[in-house]
Amino acid sequence: MSISPELSWVRGAATPPLLEITIGQALDAAVERWGERDALVSPPQEVRWTWRELAARTDALASGLLALGLQPGERIGIWSPNCAEWVLTQLAAARVGLILVTINPAYRRAEVAYTLNKVGVRALVAAERFKSSDYAGMIEDLAPETAASPPGALAAKALPELKVLIKIGGPARAGWLDFAKVAAGDSSRLGEVADIGAGLDPAAAINIQFTSGTTGSPKGATLSHRNILNNGYFVGLAQAFTAEDRLCIPVPMYHCFGMVLGVLACLTHGAAMILPAPVFDAGATLDAIESERCTALYGVPTMFIAILGHPEFDRFDMTSLRTGTMAGAPCPVEVMKAVIERMHMSEVTIGYGMTETSPISFQTAPDDPPERRVSTIGRVQPHVEVKIVDTAGAAVPRGVAGELCTRGYSVMLGYWDDPQRTAESVDAEGWMHTGDVATIDAAGYGNIVGRIKDMVIRGGENLFPREIEEFLYGHPAVADVQVVGLPDERYGEELCAWIRLNPGGELDEAGVRAFCAGQIAHHKVPRYIRFVDEFPMTVTGKVQKFLIRQAMIEELRLSQPQVA
């Protein structure tokens, strides 16, 4: 079927071909090509493994998991901040067809219980604790039977499917297996590891990632080897990754950004993975960039803002950097310019996508003109098809805003055990409806206007917070800004801006209004303006706008207008 160039409907390149292999087979290829080069470096753990050593450790852990009675297709959860054991678990699970369930390290009891039970997790790998999170303690609260259960044979009323508990670090604990002992493996089962790996289907499920659940209970997006291995490969290709590259990964492993764009991009291109800290820390990231001579850096915009704002930023040598990816949220133009100029990331790319699409659908290229890289999300990825549709589902003309829909190899297999919600998101023709409002220009570059759910309707006018945020970022005193809609009896909704100032920056409400006067339409000027020190954030660095909205509704004692 030919597509009219007048329509916002684009297809990515058909070359290079998709990888039709499993993650385990990709690891074998990495060993063959780059065996003695650095694969994984975790400075806090004093870990430095080559591809050959990483593969040997992966096989040993996989054999240890089989020795516990785990079978291909069963689910193994991991609940931990970033560490070398995280990457080992990801690769070992993939090696023998165990479906890895990635669990948000910020979860608490009710959330982790829901996750474990929803997908029937049989084995759980967990950090003992980190900061205020007592992971082992939370599991024992949920399953008080742990202490009396033989390790590997848990029988818990509240977690009926969970049988195996494996603890990363810490002293011995009743009912738990030690990760290091399981990872030592069972040499008698290495042949079985190889046999299982050889028989796996690249199209089979290998990962379940839970969405944020801000509009209901979280959904388990189910992804295949083919989904995520190819997405990592093409994202790495867009950054021109080679075995000479060293990628700093401060983004969380439990999220697609870390485990797909990080681990699998490196796996398919031979680049080294550098884990600077268990969770994002601007200072540790700067230190790792300098000490490991990183050539690439990942992060969401708020991470880059924190790095640029670090009080000792100028002390660090970042001249080794050249590329990387910013994704997860719209990047303010001024932040992008600072990353290019002050962090030496002249070839930095912007990526756009969602968990359900493995995740990346659009990405800028290192040789895109600067104006494209600071104002768009790039062009559609290879083997991916995207269209922008109106409320009736028809593709709109170029430049017209509508809902972004994605189709191709990257679309998830579905939400685990949830056919109804799967059907609500993926239509009969295979299009994933993202809920994002976007445009595609004449040259095929995409731009995210906002979320359908974030759109503010004020007096019948459709307003997109992203546009107003971009304008306010232009004020030299503004470090970060978030705009939301609040209920209003007269107009239906009004705009509210939360503003975080640069160190030493001076600005008040009158100054904001003066900055807007004559520059943007009066109905786009926020009615409510607050200056704050921080925003409510998810563990991945995304701003939780619904909490901003909720806080303002409570502060102003607003009520939702009545609809006749």
Side-chain angles (χ1 to χ4, degrees), residues 375-405:
S375 62
T376 77
I377 54 172
R379 286 178 284 191
V380 67
Q381 278 269 339
H383 303 281
V384 172
E385 190 175 4
V386 170
K387 65 178 178 178
I388 309 296
V389 301
D390 58 22
T391 54
V396 300
R398 294 283 178 115
V400 175
E403 184 181 15
L404 189 152
C405 299

PDB file of all heavy atoms in Angstrom, residues 375-405:
ATOM      1  N   SER A 375      14.456  20.531  18.586  1.00  0.00           N
ATOM      2  CA  SER A 375      13.034  20.895  18.512  1.00  0.00           C
ATOM      3  C   SER A 375      12.126  19.769  18.053  1.00  0.00           C
ATOM      4  O   SER A 375      10.920  19.970  17.941  1.00  0.00           O
ATOM      5  CB  SER A 375      12.855  22.095  17.561  1.00  0.00           C
ATOM      6  OG  SER A 375      13.267  21.751  16.245  1.00  0.00           O
ATOM      7  N   THR A 376      12.686  18.560  17.782  1.00  0.00           N
ATOM      8  CA  THR A 376      11.844  17.450  17.342  1.00  0.00           C
ATOM      9  C   THR A 376      12.263  16.170  18.057  1.00  0.00           C
ATOM     10  O   THR A 376      13.244  16.150  18.799  1.00  0.00           O
ATOM     11  CB  THR A 376      11.950  17.209  15.814  1.00  0.00           C
ATOM     12  OG1 THR A 376      13.177  16.519  15.511  1.00  0.00           O
ATOM     13  CG2 THR A 376      11.904  18.508  15.032  1.00  0.00           C
ATOM     14  N   ILE A 377      11.521  15.089  17.788  1.00  0.00           N
ATOM     15  CA  ILE A 377      11.886  13.770  18.315  1.00  0.00           C
ATOM     16  C   ILE A 377      12.534  12.926  17.223  1.00  0.00           C
ATOM     17  O   ILE A 377      12.736  11.723  17.386  1.00  0.00           O
ATOM     18  CB  ILE A 377      10.661  13.038  18.890  1.00  0.00           C
ATOM     19  CG1 ILE A 377       9.527  12.960  17.849  1.00  0.00           C
ATOM     20  CG2 ILE A 377      10.199  13.705  20.181  1.00  0.00           C
ATOM     21  CD1 ILE A 377       8.351  12.097  18.267  1.00  0.00           C
ATOM     22  N   GLY A 378      12.880  13.559  16.100  1.00  0.00           N
ATOM     23  CA  GLY A 378      13.534  12.850  15.015  1.00  0.00           C
ATOM     24  C   GLY A 378      12.556  12.180  14.077  1.00  0.00           C
ATOM     25  O   GLY A 378      11.383  12.552  13.987  1.00  0.00           O
ATOM     26  N   ARG A 379      13.076  11.171  13.399  1.00  0.00           N
ATOM     27  CA  ARG A 379      12.267  10.453  12.413  1.00  0.00           C
ATOM     28  C   ARG A 379      12.028   9.014  12.855  1.00  0.00           C
ATOM     29  O   ARG A 379      12.682   8.515  13.762  1.00  0.00           O
ATOM     30  CB  ARG A 379      12.950  10.504  11.047  1.00  0.00           C
ATOM     31  CG  ARG A 379      12.849  11.870  10.398  1.00  0.00           C
ATOM     32  CD  ARG A 379      13.552  11.963   9.071  1.00  0.00           C
ATOM     33  NE  ARG A 379      14.989  12.048   9.226  1.00  0.00           N
ATOM     34  CZ  ARG A 379      15.830  12.355   8.238  1.00  0.00           C
ATOM     35  NH1 ARG A 379      15.364  12.615   7.042  1.00  0.00           N
ATOM     36  NH2 ARG A 379      17.125  12.403   8.461  1.00  0.00           N
ATOM     37  N   VAL A 380      11.093   8.383  12.191  1.00  0.00           N
ATOM     38  CA  VAL A 380      10.669   7.047  12.590  1.00  0.00           C
ATOM     39  C   VAL A 380      11.826   6.052  12.459  1.00  0.00           C
ATOM     40  O   VAL A 380      12.652   6.135  11.547  1.00  0.00           O
ATOM     41  CB  VAL A 380       9.446   6.610  11.745  1.00  0.00           C
ATOM     42  CG1 VAL A 380       9.813   6.422  10.284  1.00  0.00           C
ATOM     43  CG2 VAL A 380       8.809   5.361  12.321  1.00  0.00           C
ATOM     44  N   GLN A 381      11.891   5.117  13.398  1.00  0.00           N
ATOM     45  CA  GLN A 381      12.937   4.102  13.413  1.00  0.00           C
ATOM     46  C   GLN A 381      12.741   3.080  12.282  1.00  0.00           C
ATOM     47  O   GLN A 381      11.620   2.889  11.782  1.00  0.00           O
ATOM     48  CB  GLN A 381      12.898   3.366  14.760  1.00  0.00           C
ATOM     49  CG  GLN A 381      13.614   4.093  15.870  1.00  0.00           C
ATOM     50  CD  GLN A 381      15.074   3.673  15.962  1.00  0.00           C
ATOM     51  OE1 GLN A 381      15.481   2.622  15.495  1.00  0.00           O
ATOM     52  NE2 GLN A 381      15.875   4.520  16.570  1.00  0.00           N
ATOM     53  N   PRO A 382      13.813   2.371  11.876  1.00  0.00           N
ATOM     54  CA  PRO A 382      13.662   1.318  10.860  1.00  0.00           C
ATOM     55  C   PRO A 382      12.628   0.264  11.277  1.00  0.00           C
ATOM     56  O   PRO A 382      12.495  -0.058  12.466  1.00  0.00           O
ATOM     57  CB  PRO A 382      15.064   0.704  10.801  1.00  0.00           C
ATOM     58  CG  PRO A 382      15.986   1.817  11.195  1.00  0.00           C
ATOM     59  CD  PRO A 382      15.228   2.571  12.250  1.00  0.00           C
ATOM     60  N   HIS A 383      11.906  -0.239  10.296  1.00  0.00           N
ATOM     61  CA  HIS A 383      10.930  -1.318  10.469  1.00  0.00           C
ATOM     62  C   HIS A 383       9.750  -0.916  11.369  1.00  0.00           C
ATOM     63  O   HIS A 383       9.044  -1.784  11.890  1.00  0.00           O
ATOM     64  CB  HIS A 383      11.594  -2.584  11.014  1.00  0.00           C
ATOM     65  CG  HIS A 383      12.717  -3.082  10.169  1.00  0.00           C
ATOM     66  ND1 HIS A 383      12.510  -3.812   9.012  1.00  0.00           N
ATOM     67  CD2 HIS A 383      14.059  -2.934  10.289  1.00  0.00           C
ATOM     68  CE1 HIS A 383      13.691  -4.101   8.468  1.00  0.00           C
ATOM     69  NE2 HIS A 383      14.642  -3.581   9.214  1.00  0.00           N
ATOM     70  N   VAL A 384       9.550   0.395  11.557  1.00  0.00           N
ATOM     71  CA  VAL A 384       8.439   0.895  12.369  1.00  0.00           C
ATOM     72  C   VAL A 384       7.582   1.803  11.498  1.00  0.00           C
ATOM     73  O   VAL A 384       8.094   2.527  10.645  1.00  0.00           O
ATOM     74  CB  VAL A 384       8.947   1.659  13.612  1.00  0.00           C
ATOM     75  CG1 VAL A 384       7.794   2.338  14.358  1.00  0.00           C
ATOM     76  CG2 VAL A 384       9.696   0.712  14.547  1.00  0.00           C
ATOM     77  N   GLU A 385       6.281   1.749  11.726  1.00  0.00           N
ATOM     78  CA  GLU A 385       5.314   2.563  10.980  1.00  0.00           C
ATOM     79  C   GLU A 385       4.560   3.427  11.978  1.00  0.00           C
ATOM     80  O   GLU A 385       4.173   2.957  13.050  1.00  0.00           O
ATOM     81  CB  GLU A 385       4.358   1.625  10.248  1.00  0.00           C
ATOM     82  CG  GLU A 385       3.440   2.267   9.239  1.00  0.00           C
ATOM     83  CD  GLU A 385       2.621   1.224   8.472  1.00  0.00           C
ATOM     84  OE1 GLU A 385       2.731   0.015   8.783  1.00  0.00           O
ATOM     85  OE2 GLU A 385       1.869   1.620   7.577  1.00  0.00           O
ATOM     86  N   VAL A 386       4.387   4.703  11.659  1.00  0.00           N
ATOM     87  CA  VAL A 386       3.700   5.626  12.558  1.00  0.00           C
ATOM     88  C   VAL A 386       2.707   6.466  11.764  1.00  0.00           C
ATOM     89  O   VAL A 386       2.990   6.884  10.645  1.00  0.00           O
ATOM     90  CB  VAL A 386       4.706   6.563  13.281  1.00  0.00           C
ATOM     91  CG1 VAL A 386       3.978   7.676  14.028  1.00  0.00           C
ATOM     92  CG2 VAL A 386       5.583   5.771  14.251  1.00  0.00           C
ATOM     93  N   LYS A 387       1.550   6.698  12.353  1.00  0.00           N
ATOM     94  CA  LYS A 387       0.604   7.638  11.753  1.00  0.00           C
ATOM     95  C   LYS A 387      -0.006   8.501  12.855  1.00  0.00           C
ATOM     96  O   LYS A 387      -0.076   8.097  14.020  1.00  0.00           O
ATOM     97  CB  LYS A 387      -0.486   6.910  10.969  1.00  0.00           C
ATOM     98  CG  LYS A 387      -1.418   6.039  11.793  1.00  0.00           C
ATOM     99  CD  LYS A 387      -2.499   5.406  10.905  1.00  0.00           C
ATOM    100  CE  LYS A 387      -3.415   4.478  11.726  1.00  0.00           C
ATOM    101  NZ  LYS A 387      -4.490   3.888  10.906  1.00  0.00           N
ATOM    102  N   ILE A 388      -0.433   9.696  12.462  1.00  0.00           N
ATOM    103  CA  ILE A 388      -1.115  10.627  13.359  1.00  0.00           C
ATOM    104  C   ILE A 388      -2.577  10.658  12.937  1.00  0.00           C
ATOM    105  O   ILE A 388      -2.873  10.892  11.763  1.00  0.00           O
ATOM    106  CB  ILE A 388      -0.512  12.046  13.268  1.00  0.00           C
ATOM    107  CG1 ILE A 388       1.019  12.009  13.422  1.00  0.00           C
ATOM    108  CG2 ILE A 388      -1.153  12.950  14.302  1.00  0.00           C
ATOM    109  CD1 ILE A 388       1.506  11.527  14.760  1.00  0.00           C
ATOM    110  N   VAL A 389      -3.458  10.375  13.890  1.00  0.00           N
ATOM    111  CA  VAL A 389      -4.874  10.241  13.525  1.00  0.00           C
ATOM    112  C   VAL A 389      -5.755  11.226  14.282  1.00  0.00           C
ATOM    113  O   VAL A 389      -5.413  11.693  15.368  1.00  0.00           O
ATOM    114  CB  VAL A 389      -5.375   8.804  13.781  1.00  0.00           C
ATOM    115  CG1 VAL A 389      -4.555   7.802  12.985  1.00  0.00           C
ATOM    116  CG2 VAL A 389      -5.344   8.455  15.266  1.00  0.00           C
ATOM    117  N   ASP A 390      -6.930  11.519  13.677  1.00  0.00           N
ATOM    118  CA  ASP A 390      -7.919  12.361  14.347  1.00  0.00           C
ATOM    119  C   ASP A 390      -8.812  11.490  15.223  1.00  0.00           C
ATOM    120  O   ASP A 390      -8.588  10.276  15.350  1.00  0.00           O
ATOM    121  CB  ASP A 390      -8.730  13.165  13.320  1.00  0.00           C
ATOM    122  CG  ASP A 390      -9.461  12.276  12.307  1.00  0.00           C
ATOM    123  OD1 ASP A 390      -9.703  11.077  12.620  1.00  0.00           O
ATOM    124  OD2 ASP A 390      -9.795  12.767  11.221  1.00  0.00           O
ATOM    125  N   THR A 391      -9.826  12.076  15.808  1.00  0.00           N
ATOM    126  CA  THR A 391     -10.678  11.333  16.734  1.00  0.00           C
ATOM    127  C   THR A 391     -11.475  10.225  16.050  1.00  0.00           C
ATOM    128  O   THR A 391     -11.941   9.299  16.710  1.00  0.00           O
ATOM    129  CB  THR A 391     -11.651  12.287  17.453  1.00  0.00           C
ATOM    130  OG1 THR A 391     -12.368  13.046  16.465  1.00  0.00           O
ATOM    131  CG2 THR A 391     -10.900  13.249  18.358  1.00  0.00           C
ATOM    132  N   ALA A 392     -11.586  10.321  14.712  1.00  0.00           N
ATOM    133  CA  ALA A 392     -12.290   9.280  13.967  1.00  0.00           C
ATOM    134  C   ALA A 392     -11.338   8.168  13.513  1.00  0.00           C
ATOM    135  O   ALA A 392     -11.772   7.191  12.900  1.00  0.00           O
ATOM    136  CB  ALA A 392     -12.993   9.884  12.753  1.00  0.00           C
ATOM    137  N   GLY A 393     -10.018   8.334  13.798  1.00  0.00           N
ATOM    138  CA  GLY A 393      -9.041   7.319  13.422  1.00  0.00           C
ATOM    139  C   GLY A 393      -8.443   7.498  12.048  1.00  0.00           C
ATOM    140  O   GLY A 393      -7.677   6.644  11.588  1.00  0.00           O
ATOM    141  N   ALA A 394      -8.763   8.601  11.377  1.00  0.00           N
ATOM    142  CA  ALA A 394      -8.228   8.848  10.035  1.00  0.00           C
ATOM    143  C   ALA A 394      -6.908   9.602  10.122  1.00  0.00           C
ATOM    144  O   ALA A 394      -6.749  10.506  10.959  1.00  0.00           O
ATOM    145  CB  ALA A 394      -9.221   9.646   9.206  1.00  0.00           C
ATOM    146  N   ALA A 395      -5.946   9.239   9.259  1.00  0.00           N
ATOM    147  CA  ALA A 395      -4.658   9.930   9.230  1.00  0.00           C
ATOM    148  C   ALA A 395      -4.859  11.392   8.843  1.00  0.00           C
ATOM    149  O   ALA A 395      -5.607  11.707   7.910  1.00  0.00           O
ATOM    150  CB  ALA A 395      -3.716   9.248   8.248  1.00  0.00           C
ATOM    151  N   VAL A 396      -4.201  12.289   9.554  1.00  0.00           N
ATOM    152  CA  VAL A 396      -4.354  13.730   9.330  1.00  0.00           C
ATOM    153  C   VAL A 396      -3.258  14.228   8.388  1.00  0.00           C
ATOM    154  O   VAL A 396      -2.245  13.563   8.190  1.00  0.00           O
ATOM    155  CB  VAL A 396      -4.293  14.509  10.663  1.00  0.00           C
ATOM    156  CG1 VAL A 396      -5.403  14.055  11.601  1.00  0.00           C
ATOM    157  CG2 VAL A 396      -2.926  14.359  11.336  1.00  0.00           C
ATOM    158  N   PRO A 397      -3.446  15.404   7.797  1.00  0.00           N
ATOM    159  CA  PRO A 397      -2.402  15.972   6.922  1.00  0.00           C
ATOM    160  C   PRO A 397      -1.132  16.285   7.713  1.00  0.00           C
ATOM    161  O   PRO A 397      -1.168  16.450   8.938  1.00  0.00           O
ATOM    162  CB  PRO A 397      -3.054  17.255   6.388  1.00  0.00           C
ATOM    163  CG  PRO A 397      -4.526  17.037   6.543  1.00  0.00           C
ATOM    164  CD  PRO A 397      -4.679  16.214   7.783  1.00  0.00           C
ATOM    165  N   ARG A 398      -0.012  16.390   6.998  1.00  0.00           N
ATOM    166  CA  ARG A 398       1.248  16.758   7.634  1.00  0.00           C
ATOM    167  C   ARG A 398       1.092  18.083   8.384  1.00  0.00           C
ATOM    168  O   ARG A 398       0.468  19.023   7.894  1.00  0.00           O
ATOM    169  CB  ARG A 398       2.366  16.902   6.590  1.00  0.00           C
ATOM    170  CG  ARG A 398       2.746  15.606   5.887  1.00  0.00           C
ATOM    171  CD  ARG A 398       3.608  14.711   6.757  1.00  0.00           C
ATOM    172  NE  ARG A 398       3.914  13.443   6.083  1.00  0.00           N
ATOM    173  CZ  ARG A 398       5.143  13.069   5.726  1.00  0.00           C
ATOM    174  NH1 ARG A 398       6.181  13.855   5.948  1.00  0.00           N
ATOM    175  NH2 ARG A 398       5.329  11.906   5.145  1.00  0.00           N
ATOM    176  N   GLY A 399       1.676  18.119   9.573  1.00  0.00           N
ATOM    177  CA  GLY A 399       1.649  19.339  10.373  1.00  0.00           C
ATOM    178  C   GLY A 399       0.433  19.500  11.256  1.00  0.00           C
ATOM    179  O   GLY A 399       0.386  20.393  12.104  1.00  0.00           O
ATOM    180  N   VAL A 400      -0.564  18.636  11.097  1.00  0.00           N
ATOM    181  CA  VAL A 400      -1.783  18.714  11.908  1.00  0.00           C
ATOM    182  C   VAL A 400      -1.640  17.782  13.113  1.00  0.00           C
ATOM    183  O   VAL A 400      -1.176  16.655  12.988  1.00  0.00           O
ATOM    184  CB  VAL A 400      -3.024  18.345  11.077  1.00  0.00           C
ATOM    185  CG1 VAL A 400      -4.277  18.308  11.953  1.00  0.00           C
ATOM    186  CG2 VAL A 400      -3.200  19.328   9.927  1.00  0.00           C
ATOM    187  N   ALA A 401      -2.042  18.259  14.286  1.00  0.00           N
ATOM    188  CA  ALA A 401      -1.903  17.470  15.508  1.00  0.00           C
ATOM    189  C   ALA A 401      -2.982  16.397  15.609  1.00  0.00           C
ATOM    190  O   ALA A 401      -4.129  16.588  15.185  1.00  0.00           O
ATOM    191  CB  ALA A 401      -1.963  18.382  16.730  1.00  0.00           C
ATOM    192  N   GLY A 402      -2.605  15.272  16.165  1.00  0.00           N
ATOM    193  CA  GLY A 402      -3.532  14.176  16.411  1.00  0.00           C
ATOM    194  C   GLY A 402      -2.850  13.137  17.281  1.00  0.00           C
ATOM    195  O   GLY A 402      -1.716  13.326  17.740  1.00  0.00           O
ATOM    196  N   GLU A 403      -3.522  12.008  17.494  1.00  0.00           N
ATOM    197  CA  GLU A 403      -2.931  10.962  18.330  1.00  0.00           C
ATOM    198  C   GLU A 403      -1.909  10.155  17.542  1.00  0.00           C
ATOM    199  O   GLU A 403      -2.156   9.743  16.414  1.00  0.00           O
ATOM    200  CB  GLU A 403      -3.995  10.009  18.876  1.00  0.00           C
ATOM    201  CG  GLU A 403      -3.387   8.971  19.831  1.00  0.00           C
ATOM    202  CD  GLU A 403      -4.382   7.972  20.386  1.00  0.00           C
ATOM    203  OE1 GLU A 403      -5.497   7.874  19.835  1.00  0.00           O
ATOM    204  OE2 GLU A 403      -4.045   7.288  21.368  1.00  0.00           O
ATOM    205  N   LEU A 404      -0.763   9.916  18.161  1.00  0.00           N
ATOM    206  CA  LEU A 404       0.303   9.134  17.524  1.00  0.00           C
ATOM    207  C   LEU A 404       0.029   7.651  17.719  1.00  0.00           C
ATOM    208  O   LEU A 404      -0.182   7.185  18.840  1.00  0.00           O
ATOM    209  CB  LEU A 404       1.653   9.522  18.136  1.00  0.00           C
ATOM    210  CG  LEU A 404       2.915   8.991  17.470  1.00  0.00           C
ATOM    211  CD1 LEU A 404       4.071   9.954  17.714  1.00  0.00           C
ATOM    212  CD2 LEU A 404       3.295   7.612  18.005  1.00  0.00           C
ATOM    213  N   CYS A 405       0.061   6.909  16.622  1.00  0.00           N
ATOM    214  CA  CYS A 405      -0.134   5.456  16.652  1.00  0.00           C
ATOM    215  C   CYS A 405       1.069   4.776  16.019  1.00  0.00           C
ATOM    216  O   CYS A 405       1.617   5.269  15.031  1.00  0.00           O
ATOM    217  CB  CYS A 405      -1.399   5.064  15.879  1.00  0.00           C
ATOM    218  SG  CYS A 405      -2.921   5.769  16.547  1.00  0.00           S
TER     219      CYS A 405
END
